[in-house]
Amino acid sequence: MASTSAEIIAFLLTISGWVLVSSTLPTDYWKVSTIDGTVITTATFWANLWKTCVTDSTGVSNCKDFPSMLALDGYIQACRGLMISAVCLGFFGAVFGLVGMKCTKVGGSDQTKAKIACLAGLIFILSGLCSMTSCSLYANRITSEFFDPSFVAQKYELGAALFIGWAGASLCIIGGSIFCFSIAENSNSSRRGYAYNGATSVMSSRTKVHNSVPDKTPPKHFDKNAYV
């Protein structure tokens, strides 16, 4: 029962993490910067993996898509590939996790379902690592440019999408670890089902056989001279 509850918790954690990771791809604010006036913010610059935009004080946004994928910086291409890989791995992990849970009716025996659940946990851990690496790589580029005194271009700060990606990656890794630990618990419970009563000694078995076989020897008859 405890293993089933742990699998349900792990499935909810991993699905929540996968949803958060997937939501970071269309999120606008991967990095953000503002130009402040005397009273109000005059302009807000922000960018993600697909475009860069500026929003003025009236709320009008002007965006520019990245012109060529081959002309992009290497870290943006790496972040795109890692995030797409994280989303795809999370989808397959959700399918394997649903099949490997004990509360479902598909997947075969308990040992087979435990192996499938462990595979789902490994896939979710890999998905979380991909998302964590992508967000960390993007954040490292932002911080290195921000604290570089020789960098004279527009400096940005960390956007909300990075924190959402880190949170989703953490949930995927935690839920995947619980899925992996479930196979050890299932193997221990299957071993407890067989009890060893010990070997029966030869003398005790012979005694049991001797007692179970009825004595068929005819009774002896004594005449009256035997008592004299």
Side-chain angles (χ1 to χ4, degrees):
M1 187 65 182
S3 178
T4 304
S5 302
E7 288 179 351
I8 294 175
I9 294 173
F11 186 75
L12 294 177
L13 289 175
T14 51
I15 291 298
S16 300
W18 176 57
V19 171
L20 290 177
V21 170
S22 301
S23 65
T24 58
L25 276 176
T27 302
D28 294 330
Y29 296 100
W30 278 67
K31 59 181 180 180
V32 61
S33 179
T34 59
I35 298 178
D36 297 330
T38 56
V39 179
I40 61 174
T41 301
T42 58
T44 301
F45 296 88
W46 50 273
N48 56 13
L49 298 177
W50 316 102
K51 59 186 177 180
T52 179
C53 301
V54 58
T55 304
D56 58 15
S57 59
T58 61
V60 178
S61 298
N62 295 317
C63 296
K64 179 182 178 182
D65 295 332
F66 293 133
S68 174
M69 185 180 68
L70 300 177
L72 287 176
D73 293 333
Y75 78 98
I76 295 181
Q77 296 182 9
C79 290
R80 282 183 179 182
L82 288 171
M83 291 303 297
I84 294 174
S85 300
V87 173
C88 295
L89 288 172
F91 172 77
F92 289 109
V95 173
F96 284 116
L98 190 62
V99 173
M101 294 175 65
K102 284 185 176 181
C103 57
T104 58
K105 300 298 183 181
V106 293
S109 61
D110 290 341
Q111 294 182 354
T112 304
K113 291 172 74 67
K115 293 178 180 179
I116 297 175
C118 182
L119 178 61
L122 293 176
I123 293 175
F124 273 118
I125 291 175
L126 186 59
S127 174
L129 291 176
C130 288
S131 177
M132 187 77 71
T133 304
S134 175
C135 295
S136 300
L137 180 62
Y138 200 91
N140 180 66
R141 182 60 178 263
I142 295 173
T143 54
S144 62
E145 291 179 353
F146 187 85
F147 293 107
D148 187 5
S150 61
F151 186 76
V152 295
Q154 181 69 36
K155 293 185 178 182
Y156 291 87
E157 296 182 2
L158 303 180
L162 297 177
F163 298 98
I164 296 174
W166 281 324
S170 301
L171 291 178
C172 287
I173 293 174
I174 294 172
S177 301
I178 297 175
F179 266 130
C180 291
F181 288 139
S182 65
I183 188 173
E185 188 173 352
N186 288 329
S187 62
N188 292 333
S189 61
S190 62
R191 290 177 183 176
R192 291 193 211 103
Y194 300 96
Y196 180 68
N197 296 325
T200 306
S201 62
V202 178
M203 295 300 295
S204 60
S205 62
R206 289 181 179 177
T207 304
K208 291 179 181 180
V209 172
H210 179 72
N211 294 333
S212 61
V213 177
D215 189 6
K216 296 182 179 181
T217 56
K220 295 181 180 180
H221 299 281
F222 300 97
D223 55 1
K224 62 183 180 177
N225 294 327
Y227 298 97
V228 179

